[in-house]
Amino acid sequence: MGSSENSGTAKDSEDVDSLDNLLWWQKASIYQVLIQSFQDTNGDGKGDIRGIMERLDYFVALGVDVIWISPIYESPMCDMGYDISDYRKVNPIFGTMEDMELLVQETHNRGLKIILDIALNHTADTHEWFQTSRRARKNPRLGKRDWYFWSPGKLDEQGKQVPPNNWESTFSGSTWEFDEEAGEFYLQDLHIFGKNQPDLNWDCEEVRQELYSVLRFWLDKGIDGFRLDTMNLVSKTSAFPDAPISKCGSTWQPANYLFANGPHIHEYLQEMHEQVFAHYDVVTLAEMSCGVTPCQALQYTSKHKPRPEVNLIIQFQHVELDCQDGDKWMLREWELPELKRVIAEWQETLVNNGGWNTVWMENHDQPRGISRFTTNTPRFRALCAKLLALWQFTLQGTNLIFQGQELGMVNPDTFSEDMNRDIETIQYWNEACENASSGEADKLDLAKKAIIQKGRDNTRIPFPWTDDPHGGFCEPTAKPWIPAFNHESEWCGIHQQRCPESVWTFYQSMITLRKSNPTLYHGTFEALDLDNPLIWAYKRESKHACYLTVLNFSPGATSWSYVDHGVDLSLRKMLISNHQTCEATSTPDIILLRPFEGRLYQLSCNSQ
Ligand code: GLC
Ligand code: CA
């Protein structure tokens, strides 16, 4: 069955209720493995392919269906392998091609699927394609002249060559870098690591064909799909106009909408689907950076489209609430109703219009969900971890779990300059230090706070398997590439697997419970009491079943008057709760909830 079958034309009302129409990736829980921090087997302090292989039974025990592996290709590793220098080679840090082939086979032997992470928007500047392209600017016979975006720029008042427009890169500075060898500027909208990640020119047919062939190369090895990095950036506005001035006093202006969701994006994704993915039973999980709305998401994923594009997208609206004007490092206070509204809009728009959500709360670029959405207070840690699991696993869509989430990992909550490994964090910290030396010392504390809360290293620390040194991630004598966080033994993986009350066991229960209550992944979504600042409540329903999720997102006991919100609890059955003791007494009209208590009820169904 090809993923093209996703393009059926049956009406939603029939589809939503028909489990038979669902594809494997719609029912799946996908587990993201950041290979470098997962399990080291050769003592170099970096996780590797053999390490994942050794832990395959762990995924089976947890109950997930798919593992997503962060980039394993040859790379200078300036951006954790998202800077690829050869798409067809395995990075020797992680192992060999034989190791990868064996991993695919062993994953399948256990009934699991495996997807690879790949960046097609840009390469590393050490990629042979870029090296040739830069030389070809002056010597066209070499070929690949237009595989990247080149421009002579323009001359400023002093006659100096400057970038062709005022676009600000996603991180800082201009999106254009000058290349001495080519004598021209090249475009790189992400600009995470200075000159390291030039953007590929998807308007050039040869580039697209070459990338499709790379995708086939891996699909033919039997993998089950891809997580496609920054996929909505691959079509840019070709004329490169200046962005309007929205940042007074700055040379470089935000231009996200000029390089995200560009003019040919749907055409290219449809072509990629037709030429590649339609021929395999695989999933495409596309990261959509720089902003995508629920309506745009429908254009990318709707099953009603005559020409399918991708199956799933990763969107960021719910994790951008703590940013000021889209600036990740400018912290903003937010209220629960804002988060509830964002989620409700995504849930409703996609469920009601033939789309499909992905549900996630943390990953290798984002801090831990517990620290971000609830509290870092140690005594609430397990409760909050379970509360968030209840939330995530009772929403519509495909669930993504990031390694360590199932252990209730939290942000380390410390800062020390020599612990920074992430290039984005290092660049930001260096800039803050420069500004501080020119008289903005107070800003340094803000920068520290921002890194503690938002830095990407928060989730990149080694996975704590045991209470051995370095959490059993590597040999006690080895030096992990990033220091492990000192977890108490009750939080490590092996201990939690044996403990019936652990966060891990709760995740295992939620994954199983979701499988046996499929309305949870495909049913409709109805938000209740959206303005309530403490309680998050919603109903999920299909013609087979109806559920109520009630979550207390506050550290105090509180009550919720369900009758006021049209909920009939007379024939309820509590399926699961994050409190071990039995349900707190409730009056006939009111549910009483303890601090961070969450419950899932099955209700009697209207249509039954
Ligand atoms: C994606 C990746 C991130 C990387 C960026 C550039 O957002 O998730 O880790 O830095 O793309 O490739
Ligand atoms: Ca290793």
Side-chain angles (χ1 to χ4, degrees):
M1 184 168 47
S3 50
S4 56
E5 295 202 15
N6 185 22
S7 59
T9 50
K11 285 200 198 77
D12 271 358
S13 52
E14 290 162 25
D15 265 359
V16 161
D17 286 333
S18 170
L19 289 176
D20 299 340
N21 287 346
L22 295 182
L23 301 165
W24 61 265
W25 49 265
Q26 293 179 297
K27 304 182 211 167
S29 296
I30 302 180
Y31 186 103
Q32 182 190 354
V33 177
L34 184 68
I35 183 168
Q36 187 145 330
S37 301
F38 194 60
Q39 178 72 72
D40 175 29
T41 59
N42 63 350
D44 67 355
K46 293 174 181 156
D48 41 52
I49 300 168
R50 296 240 156 214
I52 301 177
M53 209 123 64
E54 278 183 11
R55 297 292 181 182
L56 285 175
D57 292 331
Y58 177 81
F59 307 122
V60 177
L62 184 60
V64 296
D65 311 282
V66 181
I67 52 172
W68 141 20
I69 317 283
S70 60
I72 45 81
Y73 320 94
E74 191 187 89
S75 160
M77 294 301 284
C78 297
D79 185 24
M80 291 294 276
Y82 288 95
D83 42 341
I84 300 171
S85 55
D86 191 331
Y87 288 96
R88 290 185 169 84
K89 287 206 181 114
V90 171
N91 191 332
I93 299 174
F94 300 133
T96 62
M97 186 60 86
E98 289 70 42
D99 292 338
M100 264 318 286
E101 286 164 353
L102 193 59
L103 177 67
V104 174
Q105 202 184 325
E106 288 292 313
T107 306
H108 289 162
N109 286 346
R110 284 165 177 79
L112 299 168
K113 295 193 187 270
I114 176 168
I115 67 176
L116 295 188
D117 203 329
I118 198 163
L120 305 176
N121 174 66
H122 46 271
T123 65
D125 65 350
T126 49
H127 198 298
E128 180 273 320
W129 300 346
F130 184 76
Q131 297 294 328
T132 306
S133 186
R134 63 149 56 123
R135 286 197 293 272
R137 297 306 298 170
K138 288 186 179 154
N139 184 357
R141 278 182 307 123
L142 295 173
K144 300 195 175 58
R145 215 171 167 258
D146 297 318
W147 280 40
Y148 296 82
F149 294 98
W150 294 99
S151 165
K154 35 186 204 197
L155 297 180
D156 68 5
E157 282 151 14
Q158 284 81 43
K160 192 174 152 248
Q161 213 175 353
V162 292
N165 65 19
N166 66 356
W167 293 6
E168 180 183 55
S169 93
T170 329
F171 292 91
S172 57
S174 166
T175 47
W176 298 91
E177 274 295 334
F178 190 74
D179 185 78
E180 295 290 343
E181 199 163 343
E184 287 182 305
F185 292 91
Y186 62 88
L187 178 75
Q188 37 156 17
D189 47 31
L190 287 158
H191 205 150
I192 286 178
F193 185 71
K195 298 179 173 199
N196 178 254
Q197 287 163 304
D199 279 33
L200 279 162
N201 177 7
W202 274 62
D203 298 331
C204 170
E205 162 120 41
E206 273 178 345
V207 168
R208 301 201 303 279
Q209 287 306 326
E210 183 58 32
L211 291 173
Y212 300 161
S213 126
V214 164
L215 295 172
R216 284 187 214 101
F217 171 83
W218 286 102
L219 291 168
D220 290 339
K221 293 195 179 289
I223 64 157
D224 303 287
F226 285 100
R227 183 256 189 195
L228 302 160
D229 188 69
T230 56
M231 202 58 212
N232 60 328
L233 303 191
V234 304
S235 167
K236 332 275 177 203
T237 305
S238 50
F240 298 125
D242 270 340
I245 312 288
S246 58
K247 250 187 172 179
C248 286
S250 167
T251 316
W252 313 117
Q253 296 296 324
N256 283 6
Y257 77 97
L258 292 164
F259 50 73
N261 312 306
H264 300 287
I265 188 73
H266 296 293
E267 191 188 309
Y268 295 158
L269 294 185
Q270 287 163 10
E271 178 187 88
M272 180 170 73
H273 176 86
E274 272 159 25
Q275 295 200 19
V276 183
F277 297 116
H279 305 281
Y280 301 84
D281 175 18
V282 294
V283 67
T284 45
L285 168 60
E287 186 201 29
M288 299 287 172
S289 313
C290 303
V292 65
T293 62
C295 290
Q296 283 170 321
L298 277 176
Q299 289 185 289
Y300 288 121
T301 61
S302 173
K303 64 187 166 193
H304 298 321
K305 280 182 81 98
R307 297 181 68 199
E309 298 185 11
V310 292
N311 301 130
L312 297 170
I313 65 145
I314 300 177
Q315 64 87 18
F316 295 89
Q317 278 188 352
H318 62 305
V319 293
E320 277 163 1
L321 290 173
D322 58 13
C323 309
Q324 201 87 254
D325 300 325
D327 182 337
K328 152 175 188 163
W329 301 114
M330 294 275 290
L331 303 178
R332 172 182 175 272
E333 295 294 323
W334 54 274
E335 303 286 336
L336 187 66
E338 296 177 78
L339 178 61
K340 285 158 61 172
R341 285 215 158 73
V342 171
I343 296 291
E345 193 193 350
W346 276 89
Q347 288 281 300
E348 284 161 12
T349 312
L350 269 60
V351 179
N352 298 338
N353 296 287
W356 195 263
N357 280 284
T358 47
V359 194
W360 64 275
M361 63 177 197
E362 59 196 42
N363 64 32
H364 66 295
D365 294 329
Q366 302 286 336
R368 291 289 178 186
I370 299 178
S371 313
R372 179 180 227 163
F373 297 117
T374 58
T375 170
N376 246 9
T377 310
R379 81 188 156 103
F380 288 130
R381 179 167 163 191
L383 270 181
C384 289
K386 294 173 186 175
L387 179 87
L388 290 172
L390 258 163
W391 167 73
Q392 202 183 314
F393 284 90
T394 58
L395 289 177
Q396 190 279 330
T398 299
N399 263 259
L400 313 178
I401 307 171
F402 179 70
Q403 68 184 38
Q405 185 182 327
E406 76 283 16
L407 302 181
M409 285 182 83
V410 290
N411 292 348
D413 210 17
T414 52
F415 175 86
S416 111
E417 193 174 338
D418 57 347
M419 299 266 276
N420 292 339
R421 295 289 183 279
D422 168 31
I423 194 66
E424 183 197 8
T425 304
I426 292 173
Q427 268 186 201
Y428 169 65
W429 178 246
N430 289 345
E431 256 174 47
C433 291
E434 269 168 39
N435 294 343
S437 58
S438 56
E440 294 188 14
D442 53 322
K443 298 232 171 101
L444 216 50
D445 281 341
L446 287 178
K448 239 180 235 176
K449 191 173 168 214
I451 293 173
I452 290 173
Q453 284 191 26
K454 305 285 283 292
R456 303 201 292 185
D457 288 329
N458 270 314
T459 48
R460 296 180 176 188
I461 55 178
F463 190 96
W465 293 101
T466 63
D467 50 13
D468 294 327
H470 316 305
F473 158 72
C474 56
E475 288 296 317
T477 49
K479 187 168 179 280
W481 72 277
I482 181 171
F485 180 51
N486 202 4
H487 293 268
E488 290 152 40
S489 68
E490 63 169 297
W491 290 103
C492 72
I494 301 301
H495 176 88
Q496 289 203 40
Q497 274 191 275
R498 293 193 202 115
C499 167
E501 283 89 41
S502 69
V503 173
W504 188 91
T505 307
F506 193 82
Y507 263 84
Q508 187 191 41
S509 308
M510 282 311 301
I511 293 168
T512 315
L513 186 144
R514 187 172 170 87
K515 286 209 165 83
S516 47
N517 294 274
T519 297
L520 292 177
Y521 44 73
H522 75 103
T524 57
F525 176 92
E526 186 191 343
L528 303 167
D529 198 6
L530 267 178
D531 293 330
N532 191 318
L534 309 175
I535 302 280
W536 198 340
Y538 47 87
K539 269 208 298 201
R540 304 290 322 282
E541 194 163 4
S542 72
K543 73 178 177 207
H544 307 290
C546 179
Y547 300 87
L548 170 73
T549 304
V550 197
L551 311 165
N552 176 10
F553 265 72
S554 78
T558 184
S559 62
W560 188 58
S561 165
Y562 55 89
V563 173
D564 290 352
H565 302 284
V567 178
D568 178 4
L569 280 189
S570 47
L571 290 173
R572 68 176 182 267
K573 180 177 153 204
M574 191 166 75
L575 295 185
I576 194 162
S577 155
N578 60 349
H579 269 262
Q580 282 147 38
T581 48
C582 58
E583 214 176 326
T585 35
S586 298
T587 69
D589 302 344
I590 286 174
I591 300 180
L592 297 175
L593 291 158
R594 288 161 283 195
F596 294 113
E597 179 166 7
R599 298 184 197 161
L600 173 66
Y601 290 110
Q602 180 151 17
L603 306 180
S604 67
C605 211
N606 289 339
S607 44
Q608 262 176 356

